[in-house]
Amino acid sequence: MSESGPRVAVLMGSDSDLEVVRPCLEILGELGIAFEARVMSAHRTPDKVAEFSRGAAERGVRVLICAAGHAAHLAGAVAAQTILPVIGIPIASSDLHGVDALYSTVQMPPGTPVATVALGKPGARNAGILAAQIMALSDEALRARLVSFKEDLGRKAAAADETVRRQFPSGGAR
Ligand code: RP5
């Protein structure tokens, strides 16, 4: 098993998905996680998807993240080939505005789970964070970075609360 290669593989069905997937790549980078980003499709390059998924664990990958739109089978096709955890990001790229991709990704049959996050960029960011949380189970330094990340979220929310409270002080009838 490779010790220096990517720990998270981010797959997308098309390069047209990249802008939606970008927040996932950014948060992985911010959290100091080595990742690789690849374009492969359950429908257009099925053999490549199967080969990549089967070899991922051996190459040192610990979590797979799969983003796809339309009848989105990428995450499920990957999950069928590996026991690594698979996170699915549904992409709203069709005339059904992502409902098709959401259902295709989340409605996996029993035995082959895909941890499906929200549609679009918020889901992409959460996919990166969830992958980090899974990896932090066996990585103390990453765990510390995640704790600090969450504390920062809390500080920002508290600052927003303070700003709104100052604009609307309690007790004063208008
Ligand atoms: C899906 O089809 C891809 O994930 C993408 O969201 C969608 C459209 O792909 P392109 O036709 O833009 O390559 O498989």
Side-chain angles (χ1 to χ4, degrees):
M1 200 234 317
S2 160
E3 291 299 329
S4 57
R7 288 289 178 264
V8 174
V10 183
L11 312 184
M12 60 204 93
S14 167
D15 59 351
S16 65
D17 299 325
L18 179 58
E19 278 320 298
V20 179
V21 174
R22 197 176 292 281
C24 174
L25 308 180
E26 286 171 352
I27 191 69
L28 288 171
E30 283 167 33
L31 289 169
I33 295 172
F35 66 88
E36 62 187 335
R38 301 285 303 271
V39 175
M40 57 187 83
S41 160
H43 305 121
R44 294 168 177 165
T45 56
D47 293 343
K48 190 171 170 185
V49 168
E51 189 190 339
F52 183 91
S53 310
R54 285 186 189 153
E58 186 59 32
R59 292 193 301 109
V61 170
R62 287 290 161 262
V63 182
L64 290 144
I65 298 175
C66 302
H70 291 240
H73 292 121
L74 182 57
V78 168
Q81 302 286 353
T82 179
I83 58 163
L84 292 174
V86 177
I87 301 171
I89 308 170
I91 305 278
S93 54
S94 79
D95 288 345
L96 289 180
H97 309 294
V99 173
D100 45 359
L102 174 62
Y103 284 177
S104 302
T105 307
V106 78
Q107 287 290 73
M108 289 296 292
T112 312
V114 166
T116 304
V117 294
L119 275 160
K121 291 186 178 186
R125 186 167 168 84
N126 273 350
I129 296 166
L130 180 55
Q133 290 180 183
I134 293 168
M135 296 186 41
L137 291 170
S138 57
D139 184 334
E140 268 306 309
L142 176 56
R143 187 179 172 282
R145 293 199 290 280
L146 273 168
V147 168
S148 140
F149 169 77
K150 295 277 181 178
E151 285 169 352
D152 195 41
L153 282 185
R155 270 193 296 275
K156 282 177 183 151
D161 177 39
E162 197 49 43
T163 303
V164 171
R165 279 178 61 194
R166 257 191 254 112
Q167 282 178 52
F168 303 98
S170 58
R174 283 176 197 88

